[in-house]
Amino acid sequence: MRSRRILIGVLAAVLMIAAAPAFAVQPDEIMTDPAKEARARELSKELRCMVCQNQSIDDSEAPLARDLRLLVRERIAAGDSDGQVMDFLVARYGEFVLLKPRFNPHTLLLWLVPPLALFGGGFALWRTSRRRANTTKGGDDPDLALTADEQARLERLLTAESAPDRPI
């Protein structure tokens, strides 16, 4: 009985946490036309909350996010296309308002660095694994060869190990 109550409590907590982003859009913001509301929600998911910065305005409960959601809905109600709404907001707030920046000369570095870093890391791993494979095969690397003194000391250690009564 007690474990059942704990399970129900944990389940209720998980459901409340999972439903938290759904509370961001207030009932008075929702448009009467379901198609326009769906467009507004999709656009809101692509716009950054200027206060939270890592949340979309669709998920944020900040007052500025609410103002932006209302602005998006106003523009849609006025008959703007999705592109016009986004262009209006970018003109007003800058490229930072977009969660996914556009591909243009100003953002070229932002788009190219991650794949180049991934490629560079993969190349470094490949090269390291090749070096290790050559080392374990007993490659002819002169840096890894033992000097005559090291070879003699190794022989002494190995013979001392096989005959433990003899001093090194």
Side-chain angles (χ1 to χ4, degrees), residues 68-85:
L68 287 173
R69 286 192 302 266
L70 290 172
L71 185 59
V72 166
R73 283 166 173 75
E74 279 177 23
R75 302 300 297 188
I76 289 174
D80 286 0
S81 68
D82 292 354
Q84 289 172 324
V85 173

Side-chain angles (χ1 to χ4, degrees), residues 66-129:
R66 175 181 164 79
D67 293 343
L68 287 173
R69 286 192 302 266
L70 290 172
L71 185 59
V72 166
R73 283 166 173 75
E74 279 177 23
R75 302 300 297 188
I76 289 174
D80 286 0
S81 68
D82 292 354
Q84 289 172 324
V85 173
M86 295 299 259
D87 290 341
F88 175 79
L89 290 168
V90 167
R92 195 167 191 185
Y93 295 100
E95 288 278 334
F96 187 71
V97 78
L98 301 174
L99 275 174
K100 181 181 173 187
R102 296 175 177 165
F103 189 78
N104 61 37
H106 297 109
T107 60
L108 189 64
L109 193 62
L110 179 69
W111 283 99
L112 292 181
V113 166
L116 289 176
L118 187 63
F119 176 75
F123 179 74
L125 285 173
W126 173 77
R127 189 166 174 184
T128 302
S129 68

